[in-house]
Amino acid sequence: MKILRTIAFAVLISGCISAAKPPSMTGDFGHQTLALINSYRVSRGLAPLTENATLRALALQHSRYQAARGSINHDGFRQRSAQARSAGLSGVCSENVGVGHANAQHLFSRWRSSPGHNANMLQPNLRYAGVSVVGGYSTFFACR
């Protein structure tokens, strides 16, 4: 009986550990987040943002950077803007970051409810964007 209780306890603990892993740790829902941002922009009479490979790569790079350090930040924003300029974009860019969101809807909702993040998503002069989530750390990077 003691062995059965030990096995049952071990199974229960392992189930809790795997259930505790945040869903955002398992994948990049950047494309879905950008789709939500674009729907929101269109509902406000703004043009949708075109996904740009360079901006997506810069967002991915920054999300990886944040995940490696275990903190959200805007480190290197000026360098990302300069890289966007080198790729033929204006270099006038905007950025949102976040951490710990379970899915695209949750991330988008949090950004929408924050005045600064919301303003970034609704900047009328933005034309191109990239969004990436790595290890629960997210980056929205958009430029003219």
Side-chain angles (χ1 to χ4, degrees), residues 36-37 39-41 43-44 96 101 104-122:
L36 290 169
I37 292 168
S39 293
Y40 181 46
R41 286 177 60 87
S43 77
R44 301 292 186 171
N96 287 351
H101 301 93
Q105 183 62 55
H106 187 240
L107 174 59
F108 168 73
S109 294
R110 293 295 301 267
W111 282 344
R112 187 175 173 185
S113 67
S114 163
H117 293 108
N118 191 55
N120 284 344
M121 293 189 299
L122 294 177

Side-chain angles (χ1 to χ4, degrees), residues 23-24 26-41 49 51 56 101-109 111 121 129-134 138-140:
S24 61
T26 60
D28 186 343
F29 45 82
H31 294 293
Q32 296 93 334
T33 306
L34 183 55
L36 290 169
I37 292 168
N38 278 335
S39 293
Y40 181 46
R41 286 177 60 87
L49 301 171
E51 186 168 38
R56 170 104 169 111
H101 301 93
N103 54 50
Q105 183 62 55
H106 187 240
L107 174 59
F108 168 73
S109 294
W111 282 344
M121 293 189 299
V131 183
S132 180
V133 181
V134 174
S138 56
T139 305
F140 162 78

Side-chain angles (χ1 to χ4, degrees), residues 44-85:
R44 301 292 186 171
L46 299 170
L49 301 171
T50 301
E51 186 168 38
N52 177 278
T54 298
L55 299 183
R56 170 104 169 111
L58 291 170
L60 177 62
Q61 177 186 40
H62 188 61
S63 292
R64 285 179 177 156
Y65 174 85
Q66 293 178 104
R69 278 147 191 78
S71 67
I72 58 173
N73 59 67
H74 293 283
D75 296 352
F77 175 79
R78 287 185 180 165
Q79 289 84 357
R80 284 188 291 288
S81 296
Q83 288 177 291
R85 190 177 311 109

